[in-house]
Amino acid sequence: MNRFFFIGLSVAVTAFIAANALLLFGEKSIISKNVYVSEYERAYSNTYTEKLPKESIVAPRASTQIYVQEREAIDQWTVNEGDAVQAGSEIALLNEAESEGQRALWESEKSALESEKSEVQSSLSALESARASQSGKESENTSDQSTETNEDGDTIEYNFDFSVGVEVPQDGSFAAGIAQAEQRLAAIESQLAVINAQLSQSLASPALVSPVEGIVAKVNRDSSPLSVEIYSEEKTFVTYLLEDEWKDVAAQDRVMVQAEGLEQAVPGTVMSVSQIPAGDSRWLEAYRALEPKEQANPVAFYEVQIMADEPINGELPFGSSANAEVIINEATEAVAMPQPWIFNRYDTSGFAYVLAEQGNAAVVPVTVNFEVDGKAVLSDGIAPGTVMLKDSTLSDFKTPPNVFMPFPSEQPDYEFAKNTNWRKYVEFLLAR
């Protein structure tokens, strides 16, 4: 008898416990629950920046090339690599007997460059108008033929052919074509400045002169055409963007640059971001060695010019390396939360749990601006002072559960504790 009684009692107790468990923990249970949340943070506003680190090289702000077509026209070079020159300084003495022929070449080249400048300006205006009206393409071709008669009565014919034009898809952007035209226009103006400086020299004592102030970078004394390259004394930092980085950087972005020779990191500004792939140069070669990265597109390197806010003319030599950090995203008075705490995220949208005034976990939509150091910087969704929750079990409840959390704890700083007198500890204990 007793045995059956205890068996029945056990069954009844078990059934009671099971029924209560179903009522309490079942999916259809309407009984409110308290959930322990072990991780939480109080949101606070701060300034967050996302930076793109890049290797960079010290390069001249501008480079001027001076050419001499006739080898016999040079009587004597008066400069070497590394020499500083002023505008109007003599670079080489010209042979009086051959200088007339060289002047004739310069005159013809000037005429051709002025014609090309006019064509480029026309093409640039047409491209800008076409972009406004979404026209398809703009292409201009021109040629210049001129003749000169030398002292011996021989006729010299000069033939300059060039093409100015950019094919642009009907639905494409005209920015690349306009950038290319502006780049060519700047090059033409630089060449005209060089030629005008040479033509202004006296015929009595002809000389090749520098049109600008700077430092002689290279003197080509051997192969034709003979040339001199002059770097401007004003220096910039040159770096290159890969295809996936190009959209993140724009002119006027702020930069911090650090290099050996500078006492501290110096602020700077992105002066230009090229839309045209960079051609082979010593700067690109140096960048590839400093920051080797594999990418599918071998030509997708885009030059970026960075100018320091304060001149660095004498502090770093040309070609030295530096570390640059471009600020590509910045948010002030913004809230950030750990990335894993955002759930059901798609692109920049997602959801997060916060502690509501009623003590329950509430779901709020959030918008992510950018990510930095493992945190998602929000542009919308959570206000400063809100308690943000992280618990994977919160989503298991149909209605937002009440939550309870551990008390915040703070461990004393070791240096502070070590330097605190023992009497302070006694007073603290007695005060309790």
Side-chain angles (χ1 to χ4, degrees):
M1 181 66 180
N2 291 338
R3 184 178 62 179
F4 291 108
F5 173 77
F6 284 113
I7 292 174
L9 181 60
S10 301
V11 171
V13 171
T14 303
F16 177 79
I17 294 174
N20 278 274
L22 289 173
L23 290 173
L24 182 62
F25 300 109
E27 293 184 0
K28 296 182 180 180
S29 173
I30 61 173
I31 300 174
S32 62
K33 301 155 183 87
N34 292 335
V35 178
Y36 177 73
V37 175
S38 60
E39 294 184 65
Y40 66 95
E41 285 185 11
R42 184 175 296 276
Y44 62 92
S45 59
N46 198 5
T47 298
Y48 297 93
T49 56
E50 183 182 8
K51 301 176 182 179
L52 177 65
K54 300 294 295 181
E55 295 287 345
S56 60
I57 303 98
V58 178
R61 182 76 176 89
S63 175
T64 302
Q65 294 275 359
I66 306 170
Y67 294 97
V68 178
Q69 301 294 337
E70 297 291 338
R71 178 186 296 272
E72 292 77 12
I74 298 295
D75 190 29
Q76 179 185 353
W77 292 99
T78 58
V79 294
N80 293 302
E81 286 84 352
D83 288 350
V85 293
Q86 303 294 322
S89 298
E90 291 185 353
I91 297 174
L93 301 178
L94 298 180
N95 188 325
E96 293 186 25
E98 302 292 339
S99 62
E100 284 299 325
Q102 181 61 50
R103 286 183 64 87
L105 287 171
W106 281 332
E107 291 282 3
S108 295
E109 189 176 354
K110 177 182 177 181
S111 176
L113 286 170
E114 287 175 342
S115 298
E116 184 181 1
K117 179 180 178 181
S118 177
E119 295 295 337
V120 173
Q121 289 173 332
S122 299
S123 294
L124 181 59
S125 299
L127 280 170
E128 291 173 339
S129 300
R131 179 171 62 176
S133 61
Q134 290 299 302
S135 177
K137 66 179 181 179
E138 179 66 22
S139 181
E140 296 288 342
N141 292 278
T142 187
S143 62
D144 178 74
Q145 291 184 342
S146 57
T147 59
E148 294 284 347
T149 303
N150 61 18
E151 295 178 351
D152 300 328
D154 298 327
T155 299
I156 304 174
E157 184 175 295
Y158 304 100
N159 191 356
F160 298 91
D161 294 310
F162 43 85
S163 174
V164 181
V166 179
E167 296 290 337
V168 182
Q170 289 284 346
D171 58 348
S173 169
F174 288 83
I178 291 173
Q180 186 177 359
E182 289 176 341
Q183 187 178 34
R184 180 57 189 152
L185 189 62
I188 291 172
E189 290 175 346
S190 177
Q191 290 175 272
L192 283 172
V194 173
I195 293 173
N196 288 329
Q198 311 313 321
L199 292 175
S200 65
Q201 292 304 295
S202 171
L203 294 176
S205 55
L208 191 68
V209 299
S210 171
V212 295
E213 179 182 355
I215 298 173
V216 177
K218 184 178 180 181
V219 180
N220 176 24
R221 301 175 175 84
D222 303 320
S223 58
S224 295
L226 307 184
S227 63
V228 178
E229 185 177 10
I230 299 176
Y231 288 169
S232 65
E233 291 188 348
E234 191 177 20
K235 296 174 181 177
T236 63
F237 296 95
V238 173
T239 188
Y240 295 86
L241 299 175
L242 304 184
E243 191 171 4
D244 59 339
E245 298 171 336
W246 185 86
K247 64 181 182 300
D248 296 328
V249 181
Q252 302 306 313
D253 281 350
R254 294 188 296 114
V255 189
M256 291 300 294
V257 182
Q258 178 65 61
E260 288 191 21
L262 299 177
E263 294 182 0
Q264 59 185 4
V266 296
T269 305
V270 173
M271 300 299 296
S272 64
V273 179
S274 177
Q275 300 189 55
I276 303 171
D280 291 335
S281 68
R282 62 177 65 181
W283 316 118
L284 179 56
E285 182 181 355
Y287 171 79
R288 282 176 164 170
L290 290 170
E291 193 170 341
K293 287 185 178 180
E294 294 294 333
Q295 63 172 355
N297 190 346
V299 301
F301 289 88
Y302 302 92
E303 184 177 294
V304 176
Q305 294 272 351
I306 299 170
M307 179 67 71
D309 292 348
E310 297 293 334
I312 55 166
N313 296 346
E315 299 180 56
L316 297 174
F318 291 114
S320 59
S321 61
N323 298 316
E325 285 189 335
V326 184
I327 298 175
I328 58 177
N329 275 311
E330 186 171 19
T332 58
E333 300 298 321
V335 168
M337 69 183 308
Q339 295 181 39
W341 293 17
I342 301 176
F343 61 96
N344 291 345
R345 180 174 174 179
Y346 177 74
D347 197 13
T348 60
S349 300
F351 298 89
Y353 283 104
V354 299
L355 182 64
E357 292 183 359
Q358 296 77 13
N360 61 294
V363 178
V364 294
V366 295
T367 303
V368 179
N369 189 355
F370 58 91
E371 298 173 358
V372 58
D373 297 333
K375 288 198 170 186
V377 181
L378 307 180
S379 59
D380 189 29
I382 297 178
T386 304
V387 176
M388 305 176 294
L389 309 175
K390 188 263 179 178
D391 196 302
S392 58
T393 62
L394 293 174
S395 59
D396 296 338
F397 299 90
K398 285 190 173 183
T399 58
N402 292 328
V403 298
F404 62 99
M405 302 167 291
F407 284 108
S409 62
E410 182 178 352
Q411 295 181 350
D413 180 79
Y414 176 72
E415 291 298 326
F416 175 79
K418 185 176 65 174
N419 296 324
T420 302
N421 190 275
W422 64 270
R423 294 180 182 274
K424 297 291 183 181
Y425 290 101
V426 174
E427 292 175 1
F428 174 77
L429 293 173
L430 293 176
R432 296 178 62 187

